Amino acid sequence: MQHIQSRKDEHLELCATREVGFRSRGTLLDNVRLVHQALPELHLDEVDLSVEILGKRLRAPLIIAGMTGGTPRAGRINQALATVAEACGYGFGLGSQRAMQDMGGAEISYQVRQWAPTTLILGNIGVMQARDMSSSAIQQLVGQVGADALCVHMNPAMELIQQEGDRDFSGGLSTFTRLAAELPIAVVAKETGCGISKDVALALKAAGVRAIDVSGAGGTSWVGVETLRAGEETQALGELLWDWGIPTAVSVAWCAEVGIPSIATGGIRHGLDIAAALSLGACAVGIAGPVLKALEQGGQERVRRFLSRIEQQLRAIMLLSGVRTVAELRARPRVITGELKDWLTPSTLPTR
């Protein structure tokens, strides 16, 4: 139990103070070019950022993505960020609730509903942990935090580098199928920094998953985080795989092609990133690392200023694109360039 607490706090410290981003691979959201409208024919105040996702309306398409839980420090972070989400009309994600299974009293660090009574709250459990739990036990975890939906996360690359991580990744898809059928709330499939391929998106849609949080390559590298914690035996592997994954923009586009709603997390830094992700088909975006750093540097007020600035940027970009709503932005023409175009061009390799 103490080991889990130590790992959680190490993760927070590394994400807040060390360089743990992808080193040479970006999100490819900068390969999306929106078309300027010199005659937008609308007032800036007419631009409506609101979206509906998983049965709740957000004032802006922003989710403070799941980061932590299970320690006193994590509890303070969750409380502060949930308070911001409630005040600003964003969604809020919890970190992995695994600690609630293994540590008595850990649930208090996840229980933020009193500070966020109307907020879209996303619970969180690993698919490999869920595989070995009954649906009723998982429903109890969800109920303890009052979550509106459950993120079931997939993190094989991270686990391979983590000394105490999983090595058996069988049974994941059948677990999604069971949970989607048996839980009374929506199940959201969530990667943890390595993105979603088209075939996985298709399989998850068929399994009954309601949405996918793509968590693509280009933001925080959780392989990198674990590499900084790793022993000598896995450090070399972690260095090799630090930039492993599918860029965020590619994952969002593939989810749209498959026809499953997506949340674009992984390397979202500003309003242009958000506009590009929404243009590619995302329903909302998730931001984690920059929000944590803002909180550490200046508390809730710094977080609010950071996210307000992003909203302001998105509103301006939507006006310059000639659109009033996020739905209109998705329907606007855009130009796909560079490496993103390569990813989205059907392969010319022979089929087997």
Side-chain angles (χ1 to χ4, degrees):
M1 290 188 293
Q2 186 64 36
H3 184 67
I4 293 175
Q5 282 189 316
S6 174
R7 183 172 76 239
K8 296 282 187 181
D9 280 339
E10 281 182 44
H11 284 168
L12 284 172
E13 189 64 21
L14 289 169
C15 288
T17 64
R18 299 285 296 274
E19 290 298 326
V20 291
F22 276 68
R23 291 168 169 170
S24 61
R25 172 163 294 180
T27 64
L28 299 188
L29 290 167
D30 58 349
N31 285 177
V32 180
R33 301 285 190 269
L34 302 176
V35 179
H36 174 62
Q37 296 297 319
L39 290 171
E41 297 292 347
L42 74 160
H43 191 288
L44 183 63
D45 292 344
E46 294 178 64
V47 175
D48 179 7
L49 302 183
S50 68
V51 295
E52 187 169 321
I53 182 169
L54 299 169
K56 287 208 171 181
R57 182 155 287 274
L58 307 184
R59 193 183 57 78
L62 295 171
I63 296 172
I64 298 175
M67 286 179 264
T68 193
T71 73
R73 180 184 181 186
R76 291 190 295 271
I77 289 170
N78 281 338
Q79 177 185 333
L81 295 180
T83 300
V84 172
E86 177 71 20
C88 298
Y90 308 144
F92 178 74
L94 294 166
S96 172
Q97 293 174 249
R98 182 176 186 175
M100 290 175 62
Q101 298 174 260
D102 303 329
M103 295 163 49
E107 66 275 1
I108 194 170
S109 66
Y110 298 91
Q111 292 171 333
V112 299
R113 184 54 86 184
Q114 68 184 99
W115 294 283
T118 67
T119 296
L120 170 68
I121 292 180
L122 305 175
N124 191 333
I125 191 72
V127 67
M128 294 299 101
Q129 286 73 57
R131 176 192 61 189
D132 300 329
M133 298 171 65
S134 67
S135 298
S136 59
I138 294 171
Q139 187 174 337
Q140 184 177 7
L141 281 183
V142 169
Q144 284 182 279
V145 299
D148 299 293
L150 177 66
C151 289
V152 180
H153 69 258
M154 305 162 284
N155 60 345
M158 175 185 177
E159 293 285 342
L160 288 176
I161 309 306
Q162 191 179 110
Q163 186 174 344
E164 64 275 22
D166 292 319
R167 297 297 183 267
D168 177 9
F169 303 102
S170 59
L173 185 58
S174 61
T175 300
F176 275 109
T177 302
R178 170 173 61 89
L179 295 180
E182 296 181 0
L183 291 182
I185 62 172
V187 172
V188 178
K190 176 179 173 60
E191 235 292 341
T192 52
C194 294
I196 295 290
S197 63
K198 190 188 299 185
D199 57 333
V200 167
L202 278 166
L204 290 168
K205 181 183 180 183
V209 166
R210 286 272 296 278
I212 297 176
D213 180 338
V214 302
S215 193
T220 297
S221 168
W222 281 97
V223 168
V225 172
E226 290 298 346
T227 300
L228 295 178
R229 297 180 62 246
E232 191 174 336
E233 66 282 0
T234 54
Q235 213 166 49
L237 180 61
E239 289 289 343
L240 181 68
L241 298 180
W242 191 296
D243 279 355
W244 177 266
I246 301 166
T248 300
V250 179
S251 298
V252 170
W254 277 343
C255 285
E257 194 173 324
V258 165
I260 187 167
S262 69
I263 301 166
T265 62
I268 303 294
R269 301 292 182 222
H270 45 61
L272 272 172
D273 284 340
I274 298 173
L278 296 173
S279 172
L280 290 171
C283 296
V285 304
I287 306 178
V291 170
L292 176 62
K293 289 183 178 179
L295 183 69
E296 294 288 307
Q297 292 165 3
Q300 291 183 38
E301 185 56 35
R302 183 72 171 262
V303 174
R304 291 190 194 205
R305 288 202 307 269
F306 168 68
L307 294 174
S308 176
R309 185 167 64 249
I310 282 181
E311 276 193 58
Q312 181 186 39
Q313 294 166 357
L314 176 60
R315 191 180 300 275
I317 292 161
M318 287 175 62
L319 179 131
L320 294 174
S321 301
V323 300
R324 287 180 173 83
T325 67
V326 170
E328 289 180 12
L329 180 61
R330 290 195 196 99
R332 278 290 191 199
R334 73 255 177 187
V335 178
I336 306 299
T337 68
E339 187 183 342
L340 179 57
K341 186 175 182 180
D342 295 337
W343 275 91
L344 300 182
T345 300
S347 173
T348 57
L349 294 174
T351 56
R352 296 182 180 179

